[in-house]
Amino acid sequence: MEPTSRPRKRPQPSDAQRPTELQEEQTGPSCALPQPITEGQVPEEEVCRLCRRADCDPEVVGELCHQDGLSVHENCLYHASKLNQRGADEEGFYGFLFPDILQELERAAKKRCCICRLWGASITCQARRCYRNFHLPCGSERGCIFQYFGEYKSFCWKHRPVQRVRAVQQEQTLCLICREVVAGRPCYDTLVCPACASAWFHRRCIQGQALCSALHHFRCPHCQDMDTFREEMFRLGIKIPDRDAAWEEDGAFANHYMQHSSCDATQCLCPVGREYAEANGSCGASGTHEHCSNSRESNWECNDCSSTGTVPISAANTDCSPTAQGPSPSTWAEEQEARTHRHPTAHPALAQKPADIHQ
């Protein structure tokens, strides 16, 4: 399955009545203040211009984009309240044009984060009559929710969506993913499947699974429900990327398709060398030329794969007689050519002429 295009953020409706000055945020609760970035502390290209942080979890802020001296986190772009995608996917950063990003930086410079108290807060709670502004990492640490669909809305800790699922725990319930204890009821850090009401997990655990499984494979780990489960996780701020699963990406399992290409016999008898491949001469774990294993079977199996418990490969090479030292190149080629005629599916390299092998 081919990966889809970048997600598109729908423009948020304008709110002319929303004041530009900070109101309720001065009295809001706060958490541990992040250390401000000082000049020379970290390279400027490693600091996001929107959240002014460089020590963030990539699962929270996404990829750090950098071009022409401008660095911003992917998720900071999507959740900046007044920033819209006006370009194509390949323009700017994911369709966010550079002039628009700079304009949003100027707007955010006048907004103070209600959590860390520093300027540059580009995200505003989308609840009516709520004017709390915050940075994305600060909001994530404080329990704010950031939705990853439609308008990419953000909500403060007082107005965030909550789960209303009738789920009863039996004694201590464990996270279905990490097997650690979860909270006694659904909350910001503990989520439950709305379909079966039996699968409990930590927010960080199900977020990790969502990033790995992606949209086309993400489902409840217990009941395997997809539609209801995904809709609820989207609503609760779980990011589910619209791409194929991590294990289906190009080259993710390329080593699983590699065939054994070397003769592992203690004494290789092939005059061409150990790397000369035969179609029926190896299994997935070890390999040998048929002649080196003293085998005349068309589908050879090693001692580990065979259910008959055959003699190990090296046992065929303990005889020191002239016959055990291997055939001459011409005899080897003749046998391989005859075997090719008997087994049409054999490797094409086995059909070469005796003269080619002498060369």
Side-chain angles (χ1 to χ4, degrees), residues 89-275:
D89 291 348
E90 63 276 5
E91 295 183 280
F93 292 143
Y94 312 121
F96 295 99
L97 303 181
F98 295 135
D100 295 341
I101 297 175
L102 297 176
Q103 184 178 355
E104 178 67 6
L105 288 172
E106 293 181 3
R107 184 193 72 85
K110 305 173 184 178
K111 304 290 182 179
R112 187 190 296 272
C113 177
C114 65
I115 300 172
C116 71
R117 309 298 183 185
L118 300 178
W119 297 97
S122 61
I123 303 174
T124 303
C125 177
Q126 294 301 303
R128 295 190 60 183
R129 300 187 181 88
C130 182
Y131 309 105
R132 291 187 177 91
N133 298 308
F134 39 87
H135 303 106
L136 188 141
C138 298
S140 178
E141 295 165 359
R142 184 60 180 84
C144 301
I145 277 185
F146 306 92
Q147 295 179 338
Y148 290 87
F149 68 96
E151 300 172 9
Y152 283 71
K153 292 182 177 180
S154 306
F155 299 93
C156 70
W157 59 92
K158 283 194 173 181
H159 301 107
R160 65 192 180 200
V162 296
Q163 276 199 291
R164 304 189 183 279
V165 180
R166 292 184 179 181
V168 180
Q169 293 187 4
Q170 301 295 333
E171 299 179 353
Q172 277 193 337
T173 301
L174 304 181
C175 171
L176 206 60
I177 300 174
C178 73
R179 307 306 295 170
E180 297 290 337
V181 178
V182 297
R185 59 183 178 82
C187 59
Y188 176 78
D189 290 318
T190 298
L191 308 179
V192 62
C193 173
C196 65
S198 300
W200 295 70
F201 25 75
H202 300 111
R203 172 178 290 272
R204 66 179 181 275
C205 295
I206 200 64
Q207 178 60 85
Q209 178 172 318
L211 293 176
C212 181
S213 302
L215 185 65
H216 306 293
H217 296 273
F218 186 57
R219 64 193 68 199
C220 172
H222 179 67
C223 69
Q224 302 297 302
D225 178 85
M226 293 187 69
D227 295 337
T228 304
F229 182 71
R230 288 190 304 192
E231 182 179 353
E232 179 74 346
M233 295 301 106
F234 267 129
R235 188 181 71 88
L236 297 174
I238 299 299
K239 181 179 181 179
I240 313 172
D242 187 6
R243 55 167 171 75
D244 215 340
W247 59 81
E248 295 290 352
E249 292 179 346
D250 293 341
F253 292 91
N255 58 328
H256 288 196
Y257 300 97
M258 295 178 62
Q259 295 183 348
H260 202 83
S261 59
S262 177
C263 178
D264 294 326
T266 304
Q267 182 180 10
C268 179
L269 307 177
C270 178
V272 186
R274 289 185 179 271
E275 303 302 322

